[in-house]
Amino acid sequence: MSEPKTIKVTLSQIAKMIDHSLLHPTMTDQEIQAGLEIAKKYQTATACVKPYAIAQAKGALEGSGVAVCPVIGFPAGNSTIEVKVFEAAKAAEAGGTEVDMVVNIGKVLSGDWEYVAEEIGAINAAVRDKGAILKVIFENDFLRDEHIVKLCEICSELDVAFVKTSTGYGFVKQPNGMYAYKGATVPHLKLMRRYAKPGIQIKAAGGVRTLDDLLYVMSIGVTRIGATATVAILEEAKKRGIGDEPVEVEVKPMAGAATNGAAY
């Protein structure tokens, strides 16, 4: 199946593809506030924040139409199911309308699918009970294709809202001792779109840094990205004449777009 060469978009459509990411561990309250103002100004889908910043985000974004998206078990996913459920419920109660949760990566790699399904199911139920939706972060850099496929199947059975590639912080130690990170790759995004049922949305995080990247992943079925480059992406869209009315723009393949099979 050939990929589209052009796509029709508006500026609002592009903005609502973005969860503006405010997750770096060193971010001060002032830096978070500045980031929230960016999300509000550019009318992104959400501002993605650490749990302690939910109240700050809710206050800054009230009435703006930008949702608050806290992260749970972030970034390593290692808390117990009980703790993750508690954290997710509290985050939703505090004003998080979308909750991004990291799976237990060690359990995924162990093939303990019963545990993984129990965890995702319990958190999804807790979040839904509070009127929020769940995005499940796989951390694809640590996984093989078969793990990603199985997670998509489990999330499809449990009817979660989104499956998400990465935290943005899943650095993998290389043979030379250095740490590297790929984040969202084209083969993995295509794999997730293929194996997650049609009603489940795909979020790409890490690696989608430009307007061309965003347009490309949109063209292959991604509906949300996590981004720190929000201003650069949306200002570039304006420069290209993308505004309130739909315009047809060229889709340029991302790095790795022509790769078949596994990402590694």
Side-chain angles (χ1 to χ4, degrees), residues 84-184:
K84 281 183 173 175
V85 167
F86 178 81
E87 188 180 19
K90 286 294 182 184
E93 280 175 15
T97 56
E98 300 186 5
V99 174
D100 287 20
M101 180 274 295
V102 186
V103 296
N104 187 312
I105 298 157
K107 284 291 190 182
V108 170
L109 292 170
S110 299
D112 191 348
W113 299 115
E114 187 176 342
Y115 182 101
V116 172
E118 181 187 350
E119 176 184 81
I120 296 170
I123 296 164
N124 192 40
V127 163
R128 279 182 167 180
D129 188 54
K130 304 296 181 184
I133 66 168
L134 183 67
K135 302 192 195 88
V136 179
I137 306 173
F138 294 1
E139 202 65 282
N140 287 347
D141 272 63
F142 291 126
L143 308 179
R144 297 190 299 274
D145 283 7
E146 58 262 35
H147 299 125
I148 294 167
V149 169
K150 184 65 175 177
L151 281 168
C152 286
E153 290 170 350
I154 289 170
C155 288
S156 295
E157 288 169 16
L158 294 170
D159 203 28
V160 304
F162 281 82
V163 290
K164 176 179 169 183
T165 60
S166 324
T167 63
Y169 299 92
F171 293 91
V172 180
K173 193 172 185 178
Q174 305 299 313
N176 65 1
M178 301 295 287
Y179 285 82
Y181 179 70
K182 292 180 182 176

Side-chain angles (χ1 to χ4, degrees), residues 227-241:
T228 56
T230 300
V231 174
I233 289 169
L234 292 172
E235 288 298 329
E236 177 63 21
K238 290 177 189 176
K239 283 181 190 172
R240 294 196 200 174

Side-chain angles (χ1 to χ4, degrees), residues 176-191:
N176 65 1
M178 301 295 287
Y179 285 82
Y181 179 70
K182 292 180 182 176
T185 67
V186 172
H188 281 165
L189 290 170
K190 290 181 175 180
L191 194 68

Side-chain angles (χ1 to χ4, degrees), residues 1-3 5 185-190 216 219-220 251-263:
M1 182 178 170
S2 62
E3 294 174 359
K5 299 287 191 284
T185 67
V186 172
H188 281 165
L189 290 170
K190 290 181 175 180
Y216 178 78
S219 78
I220 62 169
V251 175
K252 298 175 183 177
M254 268 176 76
T259 305
N260 294 315

